[in-house]
Amino acid sequence: MKILLDLVLLLVGFVFLIKGADYFVEGSAAVAKKFNIPGVVIGLTIVAMGTSAPELAVSVSAGIAGSNALAISNVIGSNIFNLMVVLGVCAILSPVAVEKDIVKRDFPFSLIATVLVGLFISDIVFKGSVAEVNGFAQSGTIRRWEAVILLIFFVMYMYITVRSAIKNREAGEEIESLPVWKSLTFIILGAAAIIGGGQLVVNSAKAIALFCGMSETLVGLTIVAIGTSLPELVTSIVASKKGQNGMAVGNVVGSNIFNLLMILGVSSSINPIVSSIESVVDISVLLVLSILILIFCRTRGKINRTEGFVMVLLYAAYTFYAIIR
């Protein structure tokens, strides 16, 4: 009976995360607009970060609770899901055009972020030893000074992106005007829902993992990663139906950079994250898949339907591997 309650709480947590992020973004964007901040800057900062708020809430909550495996696998799993499923489904619906700036600036930055995190969680490469903690092989630790490096890289990326966007203001989006009281209400309620939802997801996911004999890493890579990536999936599918699926690549790559640099940076600065050997394998898979998608983008300037099917199948194969290992 308890497992059913945990499943219900997990679903409720996801709803809180997604709706909370939606209200938080709407309220924050409206307030920023009142201060005459360009719409394009709002879209690239508040709105972009808002879609990654569920991952931030879950990873920070997991880090504070000492659930290191859940914190890092949630980020890696979400990034893989974004790349392979979100972009793959959009490409299946309609070929996804890729802007040159994304190929030249954002994708390389995403690869750098992936390599950087991979190096930080692969202390075995430098120390040549593996420790056992609670029966699981541990690899490396993202220390606080490494967290600072991740955050510095994130600030650099945001500066470059916003500066570029201001030069091309036509890429911005119209932000709905709201009364100040309503904006502040949305921000407060949205933030509360995100925090509460993050706690619910972490606690119920841990309980489900324990009941089913699953590792936190597996739960983070699959159930939690998919749940927290729903905003990106829904946003990209809606954009695709409106004939604007070219935006999907930028949204996904930007979200992945945010996940790796900002979320892991904040989480590990609060409480250093100890990673497992499985996480090193998963970040390596993310790097290989990122390079593959970059090749798809560079070949014809778009991701076609065949490549979209390949991406979804590769995700299914990876998920199967994660379950049986």
Side-chain angles (χ1 to χ4, degrees), residues 89-102:
V89 169
C90 287
I92 291 171
L93 293 174
S94 178
V96 177
V98 185
E99 296 179 7
K100 291 182 178 179
D101 283 347
I102 293 173

Side-chain angles (χ1 to χ4, degrees), residues 8-27:
V8 171
L9 291 176
L10 182 68
L11 292 175
V12 171
F14 283 145
V15 172
F16 276 23
L17 284 172
I18 294 167
K19 294 305 295 181
D22 187 34
Y23 281 120
F24 183 80
V25 165
E26 190 173 348

